[in-house]
Amino acid sequence: MQNNTERKPFDLRAESKAYAIESIKLYQHLTEYAPKKEYNLSKHYLIAATRIGDFIRQEAYLDACHAASSAKYWLELLYNGGYIDDSQANAMLNYVDPLVRILYVKSHPEYRKDKNGAQTTAPEASASDSTNPFAKKGGAL
């Protein structure tokens, strides 16, 4: 029996669009349906989250990386402010974390594969713990 472990390539455009759509839904929830309505932080989050795909379409990967990092920051503020719960934060982090990592590598040539095909070291991925989806090693964001 053959072990078919081929991975599908990560489609930045499709993933950033899916993230933008989920961000729109989260914004709608926060402004219309949530018991604790929030308008300002969620608007900043929505702008950053939807700009990622726009920059990817323009092939401005460094700008897209900055937008993804910014979206993650606003998401953290929404979480720490008590506007979203662990499950909502984790769901959105599952979209944005791979985008941040891939866009960082695409926008920083020193982290791309070398001529032999070996991946050079990239920044560590965030490690989440059970109580705070934004916890990283060392406790810093």
Side-chain angles (χ1 to χ4, degrees):
M1 194 162 152
Q2 188 177 12
N3 185 2
N4 188 2
T5 58
E6 288 184 40
R7 295 174 64 183
K8 292 185 348 185
F10 190 86
D11 184 351
L12 273 175
R13 286 185 180 209
E15 291 297 324
S16 64
K17 187 174 185 178
Y19 177 60
I21 290 168
E22 291 303 314
S23 298
I24 292 166
K25 291 176 184 177
L26 178 61
Y27 175 77
Q28 184 178 22
H29 169 76
L30 289 169
T31 58
E32 294 178 15
Y33 305 114
K36 189 176 175 183
K37 305 255 188 283
E38 204 300 310
Y39 300 96
N40 295 319
L41 294 175
S42 59
K43 186 64 158 190
H44 286 286
Y45 168 69
L46 179 65
I47 291 168
T50 54
R51 291 186 78 195
I52 299 167
D54 183 34
F55 286 131
I56 288 171
R57 286 178 184 259
Q58 298 172 32
E59 296 184 6
Y61 298 115
L62 184 59
D63 291 331
C65 183
H66 290 165
S69 295
S70 179
K72 193 170 176 180
Y73 171 74
W74 292 112
L75 189 62
E76 180 180 3
L77 291 179
L78 288 166
Y79 174 77
N80 289 336
Y83 295 103
I84 59 175
D85 60 24
D86 287 347
S87 64
Q88 290 170 312
N90 282 323
M92 298 313 286
L93 284 173
N94 286 337
Y95 277 104
V96 76
D97 276 343
L99 289 171
V100 170
R101 287 192 302 271
I102 290 169
L103 288 167
Y104 187 88
V105 171
K106 284 186 83 61
S107 62
H108 292 78
E110 65 272 19
Y111 291 113
R112 293 189 183 155
K113 290 184 180 180
D114 64 17
K115 291 179 182 176
N116 298 326
Q119 181 71 39
T120 57
T121 58
E124 286 205 19
S126 63
S128 45
D129 72 22
S130 61
T131 58
N132 183 350
F134 293 96
K136 286 179 104 176
K137 291 180 182 174
L141 175 66

